[in-house]
Amino acid sequence: MDRRDFLKLAALTGAGLAVPDGINRFAGMVAASEKVDLVVAHGASPSAITKAAIDAFGGISRFISRGDIVVVKPNMAWDRVPEQAANTNPEVVATVVRLCYEAGAKKVKVFDRPVNDPRRAYVQSGIQAAAATLGAEVSHIDERRFRDIRINGVAIKEWPLYTEILEADKIINIPIAKHHSLAKLTMSMKNWMGVMGGSRNMIHQRLDESLVDLSRFLKPALTVLDAVRVLTANGPQGGSSSDVKRLDTVIVGVDQVAVDSFGATLFGMKGSDLGYVRLGEKTGLGIMDLSRLNIRKIST
Amino acid sequence: MQNFRRITQGIFLLVFLFLFIKTESVGNDELGYPVKIFLDFDPLILMTTLLSAHNVEKAFYLSISLIVLTLVLGRVFCGWICPLGTLNNIVGPLRKRNYISGASDRHRWKYYILIFLLVSSMFTLQLVGFIDPISLIIRSFSISLYPLFNHSIRSFFDAIYSLNVPGVVEVSESVYSLIKKSILSFRQPVFNQAAFIGGLFFLILGLNLVEKRFWCRYLCPLGALLGILSRFSLLKRSVSEGCNSCGACAVVCQGSAAPDKKEDWKDTECYYCWNCDDVCPRNAVSFGFKEKKARASMDLGRRRVAVSALTGLITVPLLKTAPLSRQDFSNPRLIRPPGSVDEKEFLKRCVKCGECMKVCITNGLQPTLLEAGIEGVWSPVLIPRIGYCEYRCTLCGQVCPTGAIKRLDLKDKTEVKLGLAMIDKGRCLPFAHATPCIVCEEVCPTPKKAIWFEDASVADRTGRVKKVKQPHVDLALCIGCGICEAKCPVLGRPAIYVSSVGESRSKTNRLLLP
């Protein structure tokens, strides 16, 4: 029984009314935070909207417990600067790192397996500096730490995955929303390519299935989709400022399919335009239909 | 004096090694250290480049200070500064006793080599890089010794890591991460000819077994140049009446200066190491500015000098009559680093020091074998399958001492074409195998992508029609960086590859109407 089922059950049986006071209050708290499936925050400051979105989603302590080892997984795959919108916004990443530590996380780790040179991707994205000053452990991928993992997916049966993400207590996925010629858009589900070892380029042969396989296996505690700046063409690395659109938006959710489905609307598309979102809904990974979701929009 | 000299040598060697290790990106646009400064102070490269290219990078004028230093103090560079000299010094004790070469004239070899180099460079052939000691040591370290060092350390710690003994791994890993941060490279460097170039270097060190500092005494052309300048130096040596010809100085002499010959001491061969002064039991040796000029002549022999010069002269047409020298002939595999000048000019400048290969962020710059002809051996070539040219990186141009690779700012760099990519439809998945793949387009770094798609419907074996995107290269936008080739999932022979045709630096190796 997941949280959603619990709520339905609670509503049906009126259990909330029947239980004693203390538990009632607990249920009420859960219900208050559960009401929301996605928070969409809009505002000029990337760090303020990130914090506001997470707060409106029930606060970081709903997801991070004292003593947790947290992996915060941004997209920093490219040798590009923040203005080019190819990597996750460094302020968004830094804010999540800060909130994790405030919630008592023991250690926050930040890494990605870039496509371009890792040193340049880490530095030029601005993420290394922003996260490290807040005490995050920003490390480069250590090839020895990949292990062949059976994930028994549809397209991917077994693949070398980065053990540091598998060993973490909690994972927070912080992708950026961008154009991509095959996936059309890349958001949270495609961000898992950054923890794949080996010749991950092969998964483009069955991209949608592969992304759903990975997303089902990795199960982040929270997803924060950065749409402060989005890349509307020539993705996933762009380069021209004319392809960058400033949306000043951050989307927070747990359901990866829902996050990506909402993300599509930022580009004038629908979730159903994206193969991996459709497949994600079909296979029960999450909800694509936005009308079935409780989306809370806030401005700061 | 001996200790003072050793400390000085140690300091210069450490500075050299420090700058060598710093010849590596940490992710910023610039390195922040004057990593090529030992080359800037090399007057031999200054002279041969002026002779061959009639023009030299401004930084090389720093080397005039070494000329001045030698005119005052003699060949102190060899004895006190040169990192290769110091390494020869360190391995010198391999040979127990020095062999006293009374009548040997091997020390003249280096002058013949110098004459050969100067004459050939006068006629456009720049061969100095093969044997210039600074080029040689940086190249050997970059291509061979540092990769070897990295490999040894990495294998050692990887072995402990894979043993996975609790308690030990934690300690070894923290030591390892410290070493990684300080003296190891970011990734294990790999180079073509690593064994060969390293072997030559070990051979040079091994020659100390034949005689201490064999290289410095007999082969080094920079030593020869400084030796000639030493003739005119102000600091000279004298031996007082107290000398009883015990010969102790002859044993400790690092050069072939014949210190026991008193007035016939050879100033051109002296490194001013002060060993003879230190060792003299009667304290009869002294160095000073008021001493008499040495009498011994260089005695190179007119015929031999003429033969060396003639050899230098003849080598020019000998090497220049390969097909590659023809204006309309280019090697498609010779992809030069971004900012490289036209091939003819490139060969006149490049000294094969390997700085660009050391700094190349993807390890894609490799030493040539014969791709650029014999005169171009060990010059840099980009091999995209090993590493592509990173779009926003300008480091090779920053470290090139000679201007063979021009220093480019970021905007110019992103517009320079190294060549052009072309697609092999017989291997490309969407063309040949009805299988989706977009990797070359995904990684293409130009702001408007140089790879575009044609939506195509292709039937597979069962007749089922599949929609795929078939890539095409926009030759006007492609810069030949080779990332498509590097990342192409068709391993082995990739389905997209770069060749040098269309490179900006050439007026002839062109494809499109300008």
Side-chain angles (χ1 to χ4, degrees):
Chain A
M1 187 163 77
D2 67 14
R3 283 173 298 224
R4 186 176 310 283
D5 294 334
F6 170 76
L7 278 183
K8 279 184 197 154
L9 194 68
L12 281 173
T13 57
L17 297 171
V19 288
D21 244 308
I23 298 179
N24 197 14
R25 203 161 357 142
F26 170 70
M29 246 168 65
V30 173
S33 53
E34 274 302 315
K35 270 196 311 203
V36 183
D37 294 302
L38 291 178
V39 175
V40 180
H42 182 86
S45 156
S47 86
I49 55 175
T50 306
K51 178 166 171 20
I54 292 173
D55 286 347
F57 202 57
I60 192 80
S61 45
R62 203 183 130 195
F63 308 98
I64 303 299
S65 314
R66 194 156 288 281
D68 275 351
I69 292 182
V70 185
V71 164
V72 169
K73 165 65 178 74
N75 181 334
M76 47 176 171
W78 306 100
D79 173 15
R80 290 287 197 250
V81 293
E83 292 71 29
Q84 293 172 313
N87 303 307
T88 308
N89 185 296
E91 285 182 61
V92 173
V93 180
T95 306
V96 173
V97 169
R98 180 165 59 81
L99 293 175
C100 289
Y101 276 123
E102 282 172 12
K106 189 173 162 205
K107 192 185 260 184
V108 180
K109 297 181 176 185
V110 178
F111 51 77
D112 194 10
R113 183 175 175 221
V115 178
N116 286 147
D117 176 73
R119 291 159 285 186
R120 286 194 66 90
Y122 275 43
V123 170
Q124 303 288 325
S125 68
I127 295 173
Q128 177 171 293
T133 39
L134 293 169
E137 180 191 289
V138 186
S139 60
H140 286 291
I141 294 290
D142 179 345
E143 289 294 331
R144 302 174 304 177
R145 302 214 170 122
F146 283 105
R147 201 147 299 149
D148 287 335
I149 306 288
R150 278 211 79 77
I151 69 171
N152 288 320
V154 178
I156 303 178
K157 301 292 175 209
E158 187 180 276
W159 202 273
L161 297 179
Y162 202 53
T163 46
E164 290 211 12
I165 200 159
L166 306 176
E167 288 158 6
D169 296 315
K170 303 284 164 54
I171 304 171
I172 299 182
N173 192 16
I174 317 189
I176 175 173
K178 289 185 289 181
H179 163 263
H180 186 270
S181 63
L182 184 62
K184 291 185 184 161
L185 298 173
T186 70
M187 291 172 287
S188 69
M189 291 163 75
K190 186 141 191 302
N191 204 28
W192 299 127
M193 278 191 81
V195 295
M196 297 178 77
S199 12
R200 54 182 175 175
N201 277 344
M202 285 158 67
I203 73 164
H204 292 98
Q205 295 164 26
R206 292 183 72 183
L207 188 63
D208 295 333
E209 291 93 332
S210 305
L211 296 186
V212 172
D213 289 347
L214 287 168
S215 306
R216 185 183 304 286
F217 182 76
L218 284 163
K219 284 197 199 80
L222 186 68
T223 299
V224 180
L225 176 63
D226 160 31
V228 173
R229 297 184 188 89
V230 299
L231 194 55
T232 58
N234 289 303
Q237 53 178 324
S240 165
S241 56
S242 58
D243 295 332
V244 176
K245 207 163 129 191
R246 198 159 174 132
L247 297 181
D248 290 322
T249 301
V250 160
I251 297 117
V252 170
V254 171
D255 180 340
Q256 307 177 71
V257 177
V259 169
D260 284 4
S261 182
F262 185 87
T265 64
L266 302 173
F267 294 80
M269 287 189 224
K270 288 194 304 253
S272 56
D273 294 335
L274 307 175
Y276 55 92
V277 171
R278 282 199 309 272
L279 193 67
E281 158 133 325
K282 204 173 127 193
T283 56
L285 177 65
I287 297 173
M288 171 178 79
D289 183 359
L290 298 182
S291 65
R292 284 169 59 204
L293 298 170
N294 183 2
I295 301 171
R296 185 160 168 218
K297 297 192 177 179
I298 56 173
S299 288
T300 58
Chain B
M1 209 59 171
Q2 192 181 41
N3 288 336
F4 182 52
R5 191 196 76 238
R6 283 183 175 160
I7 290 166
T8 313
Q9 283 182 299
I11 290 170
F12 277 108
L13 184 62
L14 286 177
V15 170
F16 174 80
L17 292 174
F18 175 78
L19 291 175
F20 175 81
I21 285 167
K22 288 295 175 194
T23 313
E24 180 168 359
S25 171
V26 291
N28 299 312
D29 292 333
E30 310 226 341
L31 293 176
Y33 293 93
V35 296
K36 64 183 175 70
I37 199 152
F38 274 82
L39 286 155
D40 294 336
F41 275 96
D42 186 333
L44 179 60
I45 300 180
L46 170 82
M47 289 174 71
T48 56
T49 310
L50 275 177
L51 288 171
S52 64
H54 309 299
N55 166 330
V56 73
E57 287 297 290
K58 285 201 186 69
F60 274 114
Y61 290 112
L62 286 173
S63 66
I64 290 175
S65 61
L66 183 54
I67 294 177
V68 173
L69 181 76
T70 310
L71 287 175
V72 178
L73 298 178
R75 225 174 126 184
V76 284
F77 176 80
C78 305
W80 295 65
I81 299 173
C82 177
L84 184 56
T86 304
L87 287 183
N88 273 314
N89 250 179
I90 291 170
V91 298
L94 279 179
R95 188 185 166 80
K96 226 172 164 187
R97 258 184 82 82
N98 214 0
Y99 147 103
I100 304 166
S101 50
S104 162
D105 58 1
R106 289 193 281 199
H107 64 273
R108 296 174 184 163
W109 293 352
K110 60 179 178 293
Y111 298 101
Y112 305 139
I113 293 173
L114 175 68
I115 292 163
F116 168 85
L117 290 173
L118 290 175
V119 171
S120 57
S121 61
M122 208 182 294
F123 295 91
T124 72
L125 192 63
Q126 170 80 299
L127 297 176
V128 72
F130 290 116
I131 196 168
D132 172 80
I134 308 296
S135 287
L136 186 142
I137 189 173
I138 296 178
R139 175 177 64 242
S140 307
F141 272 57
S142 300
I143 309 276
S144 184
L145 270 71
Y146 190 53
L148 177 156
F149 173 73
N150 268 279
H151 182 82
S152 319
I153 303 279
R154 279 164 205 270
S155 333
F156 175 72
F157 283 102
D158 283 353
I160 299 180
Y161 182 81
S162 62
L163 283 177
N164 205 10
V165 184
V168 179
V169 171
E170 287 75 11
V171 178
S172 78
E173 282 299 291
S174 58
V175 174
Y176 186 29
S177 92
L178 244 154
I179 298 178
K180 262 203 266 194
K181 264 183 223 144
S182 50
I183 52 174
L184 290 191
S185 60
F186 181 71
R187 243 190 309 251
Q188 170 66 45
V190 288
F191 286 102
N192 286 327
Q193 301 182 63
F196 180 51
I197 289 172
L200 285 177
F201 190 77
F202 286 124
L203 182 71
I204 286 170
L205 291 186
L207 284 174
N208 283 288
L209 283 170
V210 178
E211 195 164 342
K212 285 186 180 178
R213 296 195 72 161
F214 188 98
W215 164 268
C216 313
R217 287 166 187 245
Y218 305 137
L219 299 174
C220 181
L222 179 59
L225 177 67
L226 299 178
I228 292 170
L229 293 171
S230 252
R231 291 288 288 170
F232 311 99
S233 71
L234 301 177
L235 187 64
K236 294 290 178 205
R237 174 179 174 274
S238 69
V239 181
S240 72
E241 297 294 314
C243 171
N244 61 356
S245 303
C246 69
C249 51
V251 180
V252 295
C253 179
Q254 296 195 9
S256 302
D260 53 329
K261 299 279 164 60
K262 298 182 188 169
E263 280 83 25
D264 284 332
W265 162 73
K266 296 195 183 93
D267 49 1
T268 55
E269 305 306 315
C270 175
Y271 311 150
Y272 293 80
C273 70
W274 253 266
N275 277 356
C276 52
D277 189 347
D278 282 352
V279 80
C280 182
R282 302 181 72 104
N283 229 347
V285 177
S286 62
F287 285 88
F289 289 103
K290 289 189 178 146
E291 318 297 343
K292 273 194 302 193
K293 251 190 97 177
R295 288 189 319 198
S297 77
M298 287 183 68
D299 188 28
L300 295 180
R302 257 181 295 177
R303 276 164 218 263
R304 292 180 193 199
V305 168
V307 168
S308 320
L310 212 59
T311 314
L313 186 65
I314 285 174
T315 311
V316 180
L318 203 61
L319 297 191
K320 294 274 184 189
T321 43
L324 273 175
S325 331
R326 249 167 61 175
Q327 195 58 252
D328 58 347
F329 193 97
S330 303
N331 183 345
R333 281 168 55 220
L334 187 63
I335 304 166
R336 290 292 194 192
S340 295
V341 292
D342 184 59
E343 185 62 15
K344 267 201 165 145
E345 185 68 16
F346 188 93
L347 292 174
K348 284 183 201 167
R349 288 175 173 265
C350 176
V351 292
K352 295 106 177 169
C353 62
E355 288 270 2
C356 55
M357 303 175 218
K358 168 77 175 73
V359 86
C360 180
I361 200 162
T362 64
N363 204 176
L365 286 183
Q366 295 280 323
T368 52
L369 188 53
L370 290 170
E371 294 93 322
I374 292 174
E375 55 178 316
V377 170
W378 300 336
S379 60
V381 60
L382 184 81
I383 303 186
R385 275 264 116 158
I386 300 176
Y388 61 95
C389 179
E390 189 70 86
Y391 185 66
R392 297 176 68 242
C393 173
T394 57
L395 292 176
C396 54
Q398 290 177 34
V399 301
C400 178
T402 62
I405 311 170
K406 278 181 296 185
R407 193 189 175 116
L408 299 176
D409 64 27
L410 188 56
K411 187 178 170 296
D412 292 339
K413 156 71 203 297
T414 56
E415 286 164 4
V416 163
K417 286 174 184 282
L418 309 186
L420 294 170
M422 300 214 185
I423 288 165
D424 183 344
K425 290 189 183 179
R427 294 175 70 81
C428 177
L429 296 177
F431 277 109
H433 304 288
T435 301
C437 178
I438 45 81
V439 173
C440 53
E441 188 260 7
E442 179 180 33
V443 297
C444 179
T446 54
K448 184 179 176 190
K449 289 189 183 283
I451 295 176
W452 56 278
F453 290 122
E454 188 182 342
D455 287 314
S457 300
V458 201
D460 65 10
R461 184 177 184 169
T462 61
R464 203 160 60 102
V465 174
K466 282 180 163 178
K467 285 198 169 189
V468 290
K469 292 171 178 291
Q470 293 178 333
H472 296 270
V473 178
D474 185 332
L475 296 180
L477 293 179
C478 178
I479 53 167
C481 70
I483 189 171
C484 49
E485 181 177 341
K487 308 275 181 183
C488 177
V490 183
L491 300 179
R493 192 148 54 84
I496 185 165
Y497 60 93
V498 177
S499 69
S500 70
V501 66
E503 53 183 344
S504 327
R505 69 192 184 113
S506 170
K507 283 200 168 67
T508 49
N509 193 17
R510 290 230 171 135
L511 185 62
L512 297 181
L513 268 175

